[in-house]
Amino acid sequence: MQAADRGHTRWGIVLPFLALPVVVLGVLIIGLFLWAWSDDEDATRAGAAATVPCAEALAFGAAERPANARAHDCTVQRGIDTAYSAVLRMPREDVRDWLRATYPNAPKAHTGGGSCGALCLDVTHENGLPGTAEAHVVQVRVEYENAETALVRFSAFTM
């Protein structure tokens, strides 16, 4: 009878208990990789721009739409930071007054070529951004479309 018991060990009982944690850990790791590589259906979580109401985009930078302006193409992009943008078309003669009324403690809007366009304003909390702004920086870039109309690109973002 000893010859029959000779090759028999207790590993048949212990092995399933040792294999179970390895299998569970393997399934969790594979699941994590599959989740990380899957396409995210929510565009705002994936970092893509999403359309928002223009009032929301402007309010993030403590601004309001001027009564005589048409706002469109208002978006938000969320990731590590948040960035709102809006495009306004308004009478050219009203742009400076709107900027002064919206950011009274900011530096004066300046002109410059290149990426600045016809008129630029960069405002931070250190140089005049109102405390009500959720953004850390507001940038306004103005292009004159013709003698009467200005295209205003507004962006407000965190850093």
Side-chain angles (χ1 to χ4, degrees):
M1 193 101 176
Q2 282 188 0
D5 289 337
R6 188 166 196 190
H8 182 66
T9 64
R10 294 188 184 157
W11 284 109
I13 297 171
V14 176
L15 194 56
F17 290 107
L18 292 177
L20 183 63
V22 173
V23 170
V24 169
L25 185 61
V27 168
L28 288 174
I29 290 173
I30 290 170
L32 180 64
F33 280 112
L34 291 175
W35 174 77
W37 286 331
S38 68
D39 290 336
D40 195 349
E41 296 296 324
D42 185 3
T44 58
R45 285 181 41 197
T51 302
V52 295
C54 291
E56 178 182 331
L58 293 167
F60 191 74
E64 292 181 2
R65 182 181 64 83
N68 52 1
R70 291 179 318 226
H72 57 91
D73 295 334
C74 299
T75 61
V76 63
Q77 187 171 5
R78 290 186 175 95
I80 294 173
D81 298 313
T82 301
Y84 280 87
S85 65
V87 177
L88 306 167
R89 279 200 166 73
M90 60 189 296
R92 184 174 164 168
E93 63 189 23
D94 296 343
V95 173
R96 287 183 188 265
D97 290 338
W98 174 68
L99 290 174
R100 277 193 293 269
T102 303
Y103 304 111
N105 298 321
K108 187 177 177 180
H110 61 280
T111 58
S115 65
C116 179
L119 190 63
C120 293
L121 179 65
D122 297 314
V123 189
T124 65
H125 281 289
E126 289 80 28
N127 72 354
L129 192 61
T132 58
E134 294 179 61
H136 299 151
V137 178
V138 170
Q139 293 180 331
V140 180
R141 301 294 181 257
V142 181
E143 300 170 26
Y144 297 139
E145 293 186 319
N146 54 41
E148 299 169 353
T149 307
L151 179 71
V152 179
R153 297 184 191 280
F154 175 91
S155 59
F157 51 92
T158 58
M159 297 184 357

